[in-house]
Amino acid sequence: MKTEKLNVVYACNNNYAPYACVSICSLLMNNQTFSAIDVYVVLEDVAEENRQKLQRQAERFGANFIPVDPKIMIQEMKKLKLPQYRGSHAANCRIFFERFIREDVERLLYLDCDTIVTGDVRPLLQSDMGEACACVVQDALTCDYKKLVGFRDGEPYFNSGVILIDVENWRKFDCTSRIIEHLKTVRSDYCNPDQDVLNILLKGRVRFAGPENNYQPIHRLLNDKSYLRIYSDSNYYSEEELVYAKNHPVIYHSYRFLGEFPWHRDSWHPDRELFDYYLSKSCQSDFIKPTAPKSLIIAVEKILYIILPRPYFFRLHKLIQDSSFQKRNQQLQRNMRDRK
């Protein structure tokens, strides 16, 4: 029986449009019991051919495709000095969702383009939100990084690739205005621009869902006991919750691993076969896979990944990543002081 309405938003530039199409395909293939589905897609310089494929993908399953022009939002981001993420302003547009969604939307599911939905999102959509503005999942790789943006050990920091927004609560607590004020008067340039800002401004106003709703690559690559020893702090998910997520994943978040995404040719990514399956079912089935970026650092990482036991490799990887973020954050803070 079809019940409820699903409102979902993606944001992409032309490079990411094919991956958004695959993600939309996976979402709609596995969620056909909603009474209606509105798919908002923020389109930053997306070619007409890719826009049409996105529209066909949504309409193939009876969803309503709603294109969003981000030009005015991007102009505002530039004035706020909110930096691009991987060469695009698209992802930052999630902060301004109130500007383009319909007035009657009660809950809005934001999904990154590198997500693959393999289960029913209704349980997430029906989460008890209380006074929370968003329902989110903890980030798997930021136990030390989050301290750079003012979080203490034990304070949860979420990954912004999957966000369920309670629109009424968001408006009640004036979240968009508070975010804009922070960008204007406190800081706008972070290592993870929108993710850091959302974590800071929504602290205490989020509910945490299980890791199955944003199942991240590290949990596919490292057993749960080793992960908890290397990465987690005192308030991360329990081993039992991670085991449940592994056996009941709903949304895979296929972010970069060893410099590669699952759509790269000959990718080592753990979600490669999953991506290939939904690619073959999508309106992008003729997509030609690009070669992953090459660098000496990535080549060395791959060699170490081959020769070292997994726990040793990830301990080393964590140290390098933490050092890199610390240096980057220090540089951003120096830049901010220089501008003043």
Side-chain angles (χ1 to χ4, degrees), residues 292-324:
K294 294 181 180 179
S295 73
L296 179 59
I297 293 174
I298 293 172
V300 171
E301 275 192 333
K302 287 185 173 182
I303 292 171
L304 293 173
Y305 184 72
I306 292 171
I307 65 176
L308 291 177
R310 290 285 172 86
Y312 289 96
F313 170 81
F314 282 108
R315 284 185 189 278
L316 179 61
H317 183 268
K318 179 178 180 297
L319 288 172
I320 294 171
Q321 184 182 54
D322 289 345
S323 175
S324 176

Side-chain angles (χ1 to χ4, degrees), residues 155-171:
E155 286 187 318
Y157 174 102
F158 62 83
N159 181 284
S160 63
V162 178
I163 307 176
L164 175 65
I165 299 168
D166 186 296
V167 178
E168 181 179 356
N169 286 344
W170 184 281
R171 288 172 174 153

Side-chain angles (χ1 to χ4, degrees), residues 45 57 110 158 203 219 240 296 330:
D45 299 325
Q57 189 63 71
Y110 169 84
F158 62 83
K203 185 187 284 191
H219 294 305
E240 291 73 22
L296 179 59
Q330 289 171 348

